[in-house]
Amino acid sequence: MIWIPITVLAAAFQVARNAAQRSLLTGAGPWGATLVRFLFGLPFSLAFVAIALMVTPVSPHPSWAFLGWSALGGGMQIGATAALLVSMHRSSFALGAAFQQSGLPFAAILGFLLFGDHLSGPAWGGLALATGGLIALSWPRGEGKHDWTAAGLGTLSGFCFAVSANAFRQASLALDSANPIPAALITVAVVQALQSIALTTWLIFRDRASLGAALRSWRVSLGAGFFGAAASAGWFVALALAPAGPVRAVGVVEMPIAALAGRRLFAERLGLRQWIAGAVTAVGVILTALG
């Protein structure tokens, strides 16, 4: 069960990373802010790999399956991150993080249908509760016409994160199933290298202004990179140790952390209904973890 505290730490680092990236949106735009997570996180990921290999020397076996799953997960994660940042910008920091948790049911269902990951009855009940809580969180208040863009982008982000979570789990298992933790950290570094090359190249040709803004804000970008690398390392290790559904379920602990961060950093407040919906989601998380 060591994957549970690892997941909680990963969620906390992820909130810190999202806060740093959100502050870059105005100057660097969604794609520039997305890039810093990978480009500035890569040196830290390589350092994590070096430490892991010193503790547990392994001989990983790269394959086309490993590269394929890494590329799929990396591409989906790029899109998910950009969609999440725009969702946070159009709603609030806390609600953007909540919408992202729609990846919880997606991850469980994809893991069950495609990879045979097993979940018990209580775990499925927990997923249903968590999903209901997320729907309540995203439902608008008041009458009249509502802008569903933030919720739509947040849900898209959740789906893309769900696909990437399952892909990263398969990549780590394909690399070295006997040594899941070193394999997971190596997978993080390989994926971030692919993401950095792809997104930097795209920005050079399509949006040099955003690339320049991200590089000029190197202090904030470096912080985002460190927190991103630490979060990714935690997620990848947890996914190497447990199916994507339960990992994503425990990761919903990010919601109250994000609510506190949004109130402290961006002066955002949640209403009573949103707190109740968050509590329902938390009960679903507990059921899923215990199931």
Side-chain angles (χ1 to χ4, degrees), residues 218-267:
W218 62 269
R219 290 181 179 84
V220 178
S221 297
L222 197 62
F226 169 74
F227 289 124
S232 293
W235 287 120
F236 278 48
V237 169
L239 288 166
L241 297 173
V247 170
R248 291 300 304 165
V250 175
V252 176
V253 71
E254 174 189 355
M255 288 170 53
I257 300 174
L260 292 173
R263 182 171 181 173
R264 194 68 181 267
L265 299 177
F266 307 111

Side-chain angles (χ1 to χ4, degrees), residues 5 44 50 97 112 119 159 178 200 202 206 225 228 233 250-251 256 266 268 275:
F44 297 107
F112 174 74
L119 292 178
F159 175 77
T200 300
W202 189 84
R206 297 297 300 270
V250 175
F266 307 111
E268 299 172 349
W275 281 111

Side-chain angles (χ1 to χ4, degrees), residues 202-217:
W202 189 84
L203 287 174
I204 287 173
F205 288 101
R206 297 297 300 270
D207 194 352
R208 293 186 183 182
S210 293
L211 177 60
L215 295 177
R216 285 192 297 272
S217 302

